[in-house]
Amino acid sequence: MKGGVSSYSLPSKRGWRGLAVAVFGLVILSMLVPLVFLLGLHNGFHSTGYVSDDRRSAPNGLKNYDLVDQNGPINQSEDEKSTHIDDLMKRLGPTLSKDVIKSLGEEAVNNTVSTDSMQGTAESRNDTSLVQKGLPEPPPEKKDKKVNVTKVKGQVTEYVKGATVDETGKSCQLEFGSYCLWREEHKEEMKDSIVKKMKDQLFVARAYFPSIAKLPTHDKLSRELRQNIQEFERILSESTTDTDLPPHIGKKLQKMEATIGKAKSFPVDCNNVDKKLRQILDLTEDEAHFHMKQSAFLYQLAVQTMPKSHHCLSMRLTVEYFKSQSLDMELPSDKYVNPALHHYVIFSNNILASSVVINSTVMHAKESAKQVFHVLTDGQNYYAMKLWFFRNSYKEATIHVMKIEDLNLDNSDVANSVHLSLSNEFRVSFRSVDKPQTTQMSTEYISVFGDTHFLLPELFPDLKKVVVLDDDIVVKQDLSPLWSLDMEGKVNGAVNFCSVRLGQLKNYLVEDGYNQGSCTWMSGLNVVDLVKWKERNLTQTYHRLLQKQRTGETSARVEALPANLLTFQDLIYPLDDSWVLSGLGHNYGIDAQAIKKAAVLHYNGNMKPWLELGIPKYKAYWKMFLLRNDLFMSECNVNP
């Protein structure tokens, strides 16, 4: 009986002992694994203070930009990023002895990778980005890569998957759009450069210290390096700016630099140093990219949000309108349908912007009594606009405010889906045809009609011709010559934009048989022949192309661009370039003489003149025609 008990109890005891050992091992491992990660020893571990995200995607903002590529997107290879890191490693890394170089092999040490990849983008003011120009045919394995498409408030930018922000900032717009233009212009001189230099030296010293500490014959250097690290850590814990630094900091920097120089001269484990420096580089790049995304988001928020003072003005006018119902705000309508007068159409939800357009136009008109302005707005701003134009006069011109939602349209296809859409602006980035290997991207802005513009024949059935004005323009000359213009049977008189042609969008256009050499065109100032429009049934053509273009892979605003361009294929009458000068909403380098000679200034781009982010030196031309005698202007502190 005892032997039986013994025979059963011994295996049981051994089983419990094995289980106890296993549990003890798991406890040890659970303590070691976090320690390994905290020390950064895990292979491939990247130390970063922020959640890493895919840099090839657009920044998360209120909206996004959609982008189109000419020959199909060409992705930046991983080798290109590796080359960039290797260059930094050569500058920061250890100096290898001849024996080490020989053992590693010259080929491995000097290995570099050259790539020739470049992306193109496009944006809309509904800002839309679109084209690559002069790009070589991509290799087969890259030709079918897809483009990431996202949408931002009326603006659309397309950016190619794989685009990153390079050190020079020239490809910044591929990811962050026109924010990069504003950032470059408002770049401030770096402050606290000594603190930055101390941090850089501290990073390098930390990278070398573990390897130097393992060398038993160099205890003196190890102690010196540790003392410098501890001293720098103490100083940086107490000082965040150069003014807070203790005296004689220059000597401490020289001492640290000399110590690092000694560390570099000794043979060390290059893999460990390389790994540490790469971790530091990843941390720095991730942090810089994170802050760039934050700044770009705030920029988009600023340019796409109505200023508080403007919102106040609209609300005060709306309230006042309903308090003054006894006022007769309906003017005689006989001028509204008289084809002998000069009819201007403005699509806008901005009271001050539309007011400046009208005021600047009538101020330069020889016969303001012949001018009729039709302002189409949405229900939210209708009553404020109506009261504003009732309270303010513009010489002898007639102002007709229309609410887009209340219009009775005959076209059943669109009657139930009418909403106000402004003109679409597209930012187009491309590489020069003459220098296809250059890394510098050129960027242009174009603007075309929005969906609501294609309702013009329905909105004005009794008129034969209208001039469409965007609400981000300023008129500086008399526009009456446009009404005697012979358009030679064309439908839309517009300024051509030949830097981008239809052939460059061939992978994005669904129709065949178009002229690939045709220029794109600009909205802002457009002479529209409504008779020819109706004869060619262009509204139906546009909606047919729009439906054909829709694939579910791109945003509706981007889909509208090719439909818009193809609708007016061979139907654009080119206006002289002197009529309109574009770019005042994004280009900081426009010549003052060019502004002086232009008949119309077009603030296309994100930096509109009524925004705080507007380009200061161009704001004066817009403010010149701003009416400031309205009571609500001062009460709402409106001061663009």
Side-chain angles (χ1 to χ4, degrees), residues 205-495:
R206 284 172 173 170
Y208 278 97
F209 179 73
S211 299
I212 296 297
K214 294 178 181 179
L215 302 177
T217 59
H218 300 292
D219 291 340
K220 182 179 179 181
L221 177 60
S222 177
R223 286 195 302 272
E224 186 179 352
L225 197 57
R226 181 174 61 250
Q227 289 173 359
N228 279 293
I229 290 174
Q230 290 174 348
E231 186 171 11
F232 268 45
E233 287 176 340
R234 180 185 60 79
I235 293 174
L236 291 174
S237 67
E238 299 172 353
S239 307
T240 57
T241 63
D242 287 355
T243 56
D244 297 333
L245 293 173
H248 310 299
I249 191 64
K251 292 182 179 180
K252 298 181 186 297
L253 285 170
Q254 292 176 1
K255 184 179 178 182
M256 173 67 93
E257 189 172 355
T259 305
I260 292 173
K262 292 178 185 179
K264 286 184 177 182
S265 65
F266 288 100
V268 296
D269 187 347
C270 300
N271 290 330
N272 287 341
V273 176
D274 180 82
K275 183 185 296 183
K276 287 293 182 182
L277 290 175
R278 288 177 188 270
Q279 289 177 4
I280 295 168
L281 178 63
D282 287 341
L283 173 63
T284 304
E285 287 186 340
D286 289 342
E287 186 174 359
H289 190 263
F290 174 83
H291 289 298
M292 179 79 83
K293 289 182 67 173
Q294 278 191 326
S295 300
F297 171 79
L298 294 175
Y299 168 84
Q300 293 296 338
L301 186 66
V303 300
Q304 296 169 16
T305 305
M306 178 184 292
K308 181 180 179 180
S309 57
H310 291 215
H311 182 72
C312 168
L313 177 63
S314 179
M315 294 299 99
R316 291 295 305 273
L317 287 169
T318 301
V319 172
E320 186 66 21
Y321 174 88
F322 287 104
K323 289 171 60 179
S324 308
Q325 291 183 358
S326 59
L327 294 177
D328 183 11
M329 298 184 187
E330 293 296 333
L331 299 176
S333 61
D334 56 335
K335 287 188 174 182
Y336 299 163
V337 295
N338 186 351
L341 300 178
H342 297 171
H343 293 266
Y344 297 89
V345 180
I346 302 171
F347 296 89
S348 179
N349 54 17
N350 188 318
I351 298 171
L352 298 183
S354 54
S355 175
V356 167
V357 175
I358 296 174
N359 194 33
S360 63
T361 304
V362 300
M363 291 295 289
H364 294 96
K366 294 180 180 179
E367 298 181 89
S368 62
K370 296 183 65 175
Q371 294 181 324
V372 180
F373 293 89
H374 304 271
V375 182
L376 284 95
T377 189
D378 53 20
Q380 181 178 346
N381 297 280
Y382 172 72
Y383 300 104
M385 284 244 191
K386 202 166 184 62
L387 181 60
W388 173 272
F389 289 111
F390 177 80
R391 290 162 59 102
N392 296 282
S393 61
Y394 299 82
K395 287 192 173 182
E396 300 177 62
T398 301
I399 314 298
H400 179 205
V401 181
M402 304 169 66
K403 183 179 177 182
I404 195 74
E405 291 89 347
D406 289 347
L407 299 177
N408 296 319
L409 303 177
D410 297 332
N411 191 332
S412 59
D413 294 336
V414 298
N416 296 325
S417 60
V418 173
H419 64 279
L420 182 67
S421 61
L422 308 180
S423 60
N424 291 316
E425 295 177 351
F426 296 84
R427 190 186 74 251
V428 183
S429 295
F430 54 88
R431 192 167 56 196
S432 173
V433 175
D434 300 330
K435 299 178 181 179
Q437 301 304 320
T438 183
T439 59
Q440 184 168 358
M441 301 291 287
S442 298
T443 301
E444 301 288 350
Y445 279 70
I446 60 175
S447 55
V448 293
F449 287 164
D451 289 347
T452 315
H453 290 72
F454 288 90
L455 301 176
L456 285 171
E458 302 285 338
L459 297 172
F460 307 102
D462 299 318
L463 302 181
K464 297 179 180 179
K465 179 186 288 188
V466 295
V467 171
V468 181
L469 304 175
D470 283 357
D471 66 354
D472 57 350
I473 70 166
V474 170
V475 178
K476 295 172 70 266
Q477 295 180 19
D478 182 28
L479 298 183
S480 58
L482 294 174
W483 297 96
S484 59
L485 191 66
D486 181 9
M487 295 176 57
E488 302 174 358
K490 305 296 184 179
V491 177
N492 184 1
V495 174

Side-chain angles (χ1 to χ4, degrees), residues 579-640:
W579 273 108
V580 182
L581 177 64
S582 300
L584 279 78
H586 66 90
N587 186 355
Y588 284 87
I590 298 178
D591 183 64
Q593 289 299 319
I595 295 177
K596 186 176 181 180
K597 295 177 181 178
V600 173
L601 303 179
H602 190 190
Y603 291 81
N604 60 318
N606 276 336
M607 290 170 269
K608 304 299 183 186
W610 54 84
L611 298 176
E612 185 177 348
L613 292 177
I615 301 176
K617 61 182 178 180
Y618 305 146
K619 280 188 173 184
Y621 304 104
W622 188 84
K623 289 183 177 180
M624 189 182 304
F625 301 100
L626 184 63
L627 299 180
R628 299 182 179 274
N629 56 355
D630 192 275
L631 175 63
F632 295 138
M633 289 277 286
S634 58
E635 290 184 357
C636 290
N637 195 26
V638 178
N639 186 27

